[in-house]
Every structure is written in C-alpha cells, then in structure tokens.
Amino acid sequence: MNQNNGRVYNFSAGPSMLPLEVMENVAKELTNYKGCGQSVMEMSHRSKEFQAIIDEADKNLRTLMNIPENYKVLFLQGGGTLQFSMVPMNLLRKSGKADYLVTGAWAKKAAAEAKKFGDIKIVASSEEAIFSYIPQVKREDFREDADYVHITFNNTIYGTHFGYIPDTGDIPLVADMSSCILSEEIDVSKFGLIYAGAQKNIAPAGVTIVIIREDLIGFAAKEIPTYLDYKVHAENGSMYNTPPCFTIYVAGEVFSHILKNGGIPPLHQLDVEKADKLYKYIDESKLYSCPVQEDSRSLMNVVFVTGDADLDKKFVAEAKAKGLVNLGGHRSIGGMRASIYNAMPMEGVETLIAFMKAFEAENVK
Ligand SMILES: Cc1ncc(COP(=O)(O)O)c(C=O)c1O
C-alpha cells in the first residue's frame, strides 16, 4: 500500500482514480441521500431529487467547460464505443461523407464503424510510425462537402494528444475527448460535437457525455433504433429511458468538486506539472524512453519502455508489489503506461519516479 489511507496509486487508463473527497462524500450519503431516506441507487429517475441531481450536473458541466447556450449536454450509455456509431448515424446528413484522422486504435475503430454508414476518407494517419505523433492537417485537406471531420483528441493507448484544433472551416469538427475531458480549457464553439466516456476524468463507467451543437440534431434516418437518435435524448433531457442515475450523480459530484477548487485552470496547471516531471525524468534516464514525439505528448497517458519486454514485465510486477498498480501498457503494444488523470495526486507521480529510479539503479549495471 502506498498512501497513508491504505489506498494504492492506480495508474489505470480507465476506469481510474476518482477524487477521494468525492468518494468519501458519496459514501456518507450512500444509504440516505440528503435526508430523503433512500440511496441515489434506489431512487426513481422521475423523482424531484434525481431531476435536481441531473440538472445540477448539467449546469456545473456547462460552467466548467463554458459550454455555449446553443449546445445540448446529453448523458448517454454505451461508452465512447457507441458514439463511434451514433456520430455517423446522426451526422452524415447531407453528402454522406466524413473525414477521419487516424491517430490511434480508438480513432481507427471509430473510422471503421463509420464506414458502415457512409463514405469515409482517412485524411491523415500516423499508423506508419506506430501512432507516435499527431499529424498536422490544414483546411484544404478536407473534402469541401464532408458532413463532419472526426478526431481523437487524446489517444489513450499511444499517449498522444492534439496540440492544436484542426481548422475545418464550416465543416463540423467532432472530437472524442474520452481521455482528456476536463484536463484543459477547450473552446467548445470550435466543435460541432464532443463526446467522452466518463470513466477516466469524470465518474465510474456507465455514462457517456455528449456535447452537441443544436443545429446538428435531428438528422438521423427514421429507421435507426430510437435510442441512437440524439434528438430523442435532447428532447427528453437525457431521460427518454432510465439513465445511469448513480454514475450521473457521481459525475455531478466531481463537477462541483472541481468548481469548488477553482475550475479547470488549476487542475490543468497541476496536470502539466505532473506530466512534465515524469517526461523529464524519462528523457534523462538511461533505462527508460518515451516513443512519443515531444510536441504530441499526452498529459494524461504517459507511455514509456525499457526496450526489453522481459524487463518491462518485471517493472510492472515490482511496481504493483509497491502499491503502484496498472502500469502495464495496453495489451496491444506492451511496455508501460502511467495514466495520470486529474485525480492522481502529485505524490503519486513522485512516488512512481522514485520507484523508477530505484528500479533503474538495480537493473542498469
Ligand atoms: C479515446 C477513447 N475512445 C473510446 C474509448 C472506448 O470507450 P468505452 O470503453 O467507454 O466504449 C476509449 C477507451 O478507453 C478511449 O480511450
């Protein structure tokens, strides 16, 4: 165990650490929410108590992200994965064409799914370099009549992040922000749609946030399943069917926790300091290296290797024994990955670096 409270430092890519204060508060009101005599887990989603919870979550997310009035916030299910289908089902509304940037495994999956529904062009890819950088694209790279452009803003598996917002002109830009939402200030008005599974920076798994510009709602084909039409959720305040009530409640608690602590800027500052410290140590070390190009590095997912697959395995096992858990890279690429989302404290990163130094001293003779 690593922390005084008996908790480990969990570097999982998601689900991942949540703010302890939020979980303690949730635990306190777990069986009796604000004196109403029942748990949020038991509560009707049609109750006035739950309506207040979802309204407050919506309001606080809008404040945190400065979401303009002409955008709807939807609380959906199905993870980021279902958005790979919902986006093309709803947004291929004129030409049936969409342009994708393939910057990792999730982006590739999103594009493959979209191909089931329309004419999809991969306008840029970094696959030839094992997704170790973010390609630069210009307005002219996109088809004039594309219905939307899709990017994966942070690539969880390869540890890359867009350092810029592609200029798509009038073409709506769609971004998967599953692994970076709330880690930096974003100009929402530059996007037509933003989606994110909650299980990294927001809440336990179970809710997916969709932020969509209103003029993009209402174009799904009539024959698609009702649940997959954004319009249905927008018109029903995310309560067309039973929503993931408990997860929405925890998300709302996380939003108000962040607001109470000054919003996104101080959190971003800390995220930058945590990531800088870790990358700096990796770059200086003789044992570890980061395969990601410097200008494309993620603040949230720090990928590194020793260059020896057996040593990587030993590292992950020994770290685990010391209470530094889930440091293995994604099963598709191996190596190591430290996911240091918002709730990972600086001490977690410092403890990891201390362990890395000791491991290096022992294993580099
Ligand atoms: C960037 C990104 N997009 C999509 C997904 C898939 O999300 P889900 O498991 O919520 O469907 C993930 C999962 O980690 C992810 O990191």
Side-chain angles (χ1 to χ4, degrees), residues 36-197:
C36 76
Q38 52 185 314
S39 170
V40 179
M41 293 189 288
E42 305 167 302
M43 201 177 266
S44 163
H45 59 296
R46 305 286 174 205
S47 63
K48 70 174 186 339
E49 286 85 2
F50 187 73
Q51 190 62 54
I53 288 172
I54 195 167
D55 288 347
E56 182 80 1
D58 177 285
K59 187 177 109 214
N60 285 343
L61 183 63
R62 285 180 173 279
T63 308
L64 274 178
M65 292 183 66
N66 202 12
I67 299 173
E69 283 289 314
N70 62 327
Y71 284 72
K72 285 268 191 274
V73 173
L74 309 177
F75 295 94
L76 306 181
Q77 302 190 59
T81 302
L82 190 56
Q83 293 313 305
F84 298 166
S85 332
M86 278 180 82
V87 165
M89 282 171 137
N90 285 268
L91 265 50
L92 287 172
R93 61 204 193 290
K94 292 180 191 154
S95 65
K97 297 180 188 173
D99 290 352
Y100 276 65
L101 273 74
V102 172
T103 51
W106 297 113
K108 208 171 161 180
K109 280 193 173 163
E113 195 65 18
K115 279 186 183 160
K116 295 179 182 173
F117 305 100
D119 170 358
I120 305 303
K121 182 177 171 197
I122 309 299
V123 291
S125 166
S126 48
E127 190 165 15
E128 87 292 346
I130 324 176
F131 298 121
S132 56
Y133 71 99
I134 296 293
Q136 291 287 328
V137 285
K138 303 179 296 299
R139 172 72 185 83
E140 309 80 78
D141 295 329
F142 305 113
R143 290 178 289 183
E144 270 308 317
D145 59 346
D147 282 335
Y148 67 90
V149 171
H150 182 282
I151 60 172
T152 309
F153 214 50
N154 188 80
N155 295 274
T156 326
I157 297 176
Y158 297 90
T160 61
H161 179 69
F162 272 78
Y164 71 106
I165 298 176
D167 175 11
T168 58
D170 293 337
I171 310 170
L173 179 61
V174 174
D176 176 354
M177 294 201 187
S178 292
S179 48
C180 60
I181 191 161
L182 303 185
S183 68
E184 64 197 306
E185 287 188 289
I186 287 290
D187 182 353
V188 174
S189 72
K190 294 220 156 78
F191 298 85
L193 188 153
I194 292 169
Y195 64 89

Side-chain angles (χ1 to χ4, degrees), residues 336-352:
M336 276 80 73
R337 170 178 51 177
S339 294
I340 49 174
Y341 296 116
N342 286 348
M344 173 63 68
M346 178 58 99
E347 303 81 72
V349 173
E350 285 167 349
T351 310
L352 171 63

